[in-house]
Structures are given as structure tokens and as C-alpha cells.
């Protein structure tokens, strides 16, 4: 499935690749036209909101694992970052009864643009703070609720992360990807996104 979008001098594509082994590759690509506004390096980010509903919606949970085998089972909503590529962090959304589900692992290019560093510059630091958000499903929580360009999952009256239980219930996993566009010729497409494995 492919969607192409135009936003001024930017061009975006969202793709979903479905493979015979059951794996899924959601991909986010971007490029720009030739313009003075697009000749400087810049960062692009996208979030996916995965609501798998494995074996039904009411009895799922989320785990986090890393390359050294450490594992966390989330009891309450949480904000997460994946750290360095060598950490091998991934998340799984599983059914509590069957243990079936999907593993969400960062794609190789996703590490190229980490969350914004703490520079002390509000317009930079406030843009993207989390790589993943573990949340309980709520019908109205379909965006970060913060407005503007900043991703704000834990602030304001519409906060998504507010310590609700996320074990043996209907859960949502938000996953961030991003890419930094260097100062190069317009038309070069950058494609990033996670790998979903059953």
C-alpha cells in the first residue's frame, strides 16, 4: 500500500510492505523540490500508532527487550528511547493468553536521527523526545494532543501517558522514526521505518 503526499516544497510517501512470512514493513519516505527553503540540513520525523488487537483487543500487553537479553513487561504507560543501535532495543505487543503478537524493531536507518538532544534551545529540544510510547487504548487518543510540531505525549490536559494500566488490556504502541536530510540535491528520497515480525 502506498500513499504520496505533497506539502508545499516537500514530498512524502507512506508505504506498507506485507511479506509472505507475516512480517510487515511500514516505511516513511521524504524528499523535496529545488527551493532555497530546502537547501539546508533538516530533520523529519513520523510516528506510527500501532493498535494490533492481537487475538482480540482486551487482553494484550507490551514488552521491551534489548541485545543482552534484558526484558521489561510494562504494567503502566511509559515513555521510551531506544538508545544506541548496539543496544538492540525492540518492543513486542503480545496476547496474554496465547503469547502471540508482533515484535517492533527499529529499522537500520531509524538510528540515523535520534531524539532531539538537550541543547537548551526550546525550539530544538521540544520537537521529539521519545522513540516509543506505551499507552492504554483510548478512542480519542489518535495524536499526541500537543498541537504544533512538537511531540508531547506527557503534557497538557490531553496527555496520552498518565500512568494508566497497560497489562492484560487494550494497548497501543507509538513508534517514532526520523531522518536527517543533509544539504544535497533535491529529489533524493530517504526511506526509514521499523520492522514488524510475528
Amino acid at each position: 500500500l502506498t500513499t504520496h503526499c505533497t506539502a508545499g516544497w516537500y514530498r512524502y510517501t507512506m508505504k506498507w510492505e506485507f511479506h509472505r512470512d507475516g512480517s510487515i514493513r511500514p516505511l516513511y519516505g521524504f524528499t523535496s523540490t529545488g527551493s532555497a527553503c530546502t537547501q539546508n540540513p533538516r530533520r523529519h520525523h513520523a510516528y506510527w500508532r500501532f493498535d494490533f488487537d492481537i487475538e482480540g483487543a482486551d487482553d494484550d500487553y507490551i514488552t521491551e527487550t534489548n541485545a543482552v537479553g534484558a526484558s521489561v513487561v510494562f504494567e503502566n504507560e511509559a515513555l521510551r528511547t531506544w538508545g544506541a543501535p548496539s543496544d538492540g532495543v525492540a518492543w513486542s505487543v503480545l496476547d496474554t493468553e496465547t503469547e502471540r503478537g508482533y515484535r517492533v524493531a527499529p529499522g537500520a536507518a531509524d538510528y540515523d536521527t535520534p531524539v532531539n538532544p538537550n541543547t537548551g534551545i526550546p525550539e530544538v529540544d521540544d520537537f521529539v523526545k521519545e522513540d516509543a510510547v506505551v499507552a492504554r487504548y483510548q478512542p480519542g487518543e489518535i495524536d499526541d494532543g500537543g498541537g504544533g510540531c512538537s511531540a508531547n505525549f506527557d503534557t497538557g490536559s490531553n496527555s496520552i501517558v498518565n500512568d494508566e494500566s497497560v497489562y492484560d488490556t487494550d494497548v497501543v504502541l507509538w513508534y517514532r522514526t526520523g531522518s536527517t536530510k543533509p544539504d544535497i540535491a533535491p529529489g533524493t528520497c530517504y526511506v526509514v521505518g521499523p520492522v514488524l515480525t510475528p
Side-chain angles (χ1 to χ4, degrees), residues 15 19 48 52 65 72 78 109 111 121 130 147 154 161 166 173 184:
K15 297 181 181 181
H19 298 266
W48 281 276
F52 289 112
T65 55
V72 174
Y111 291 108
I121 305 169
E130 282 75 46
D154 63 342
V161 177
V166 291
L173 176 69
I184 63 166

Side-chain angles (χ1 to χ4, degrees), residues 10-14 27-31 41-48 82 109-117 123-132 144 148-153 174-181 190 192-194:
Y10 293 112
R11 305 294 181 263
Y12 300 100
T13 185
M14 297 298 286
L27 299 166
Y28 163 67
F30 72 92
T31 187
R42 61 201 169 275
R43 296 163 62 106
H44 293 261
H45 299 85
Y47 278 92
W48 281 276
W82 58 52
D110 291 351
Y111 291 108
D112 294 343
T113 305
V115 293
N116 292 103
E123 58 270 19
V124 173
D125 295 344
D126 292 343
F127 196 62
V128 174
K129 304 172 195 171
E130 282 75 46
D131 291 318
D144 67 2
C149 293
S150 299
N152 297 303
F153 291 97
W174 295 74
Y175 174 86
R176 181 202 66 87
T177 191
S179 190
T180 300
K181 181 191 179 298
Y190 294 86
V192 291

Side-chain angles (χ1 to χ4, degrees), residues 70-115:
S71 181
V72 174
V73 175
F74 293 98
E75 297 286 339
N76 297 93
E77 294 177 322
L79 303 170
R80 309 302 286 177
T81 57
W82 58 52
S86 60
D87 292 343
V89 171
W91 297 272
S92 293
V93 180
L94 304 165
D95 181 84
T96 56
E97 295 179 15
T98 67
E99 294 298 318
R100 293 179 62 185
Y102 265 91
R103 180 176 187 266
V104 179
D110 291 351
Y111 291 108
D112 294 343
T113 305
V115 293

Side-chain angles (χ1 to χ4, degrees), residues 46-65:
Y47 278 92
W48 281 276
R49 178 183 176 269
F50 296 119
D51 182 12
F52 289 112
D53 291 346
I54 307 296
E55 308 286 357
D58 296 331
D59 55 357
D60 295 337
Y61 70 103
I62 298 174
T63 66
E64 178 181 277
T65 55

Side-chain angles (χ1 to χ4, degrees), residues 23-39:
S23 63
I24 304 170
R25 288 294 315 266
L27 299 166
Y28 163 67
F30 72 92
T31 187
S32 61
T33 61
S35 168
C37 298
T38 64
Q39 297 307 307

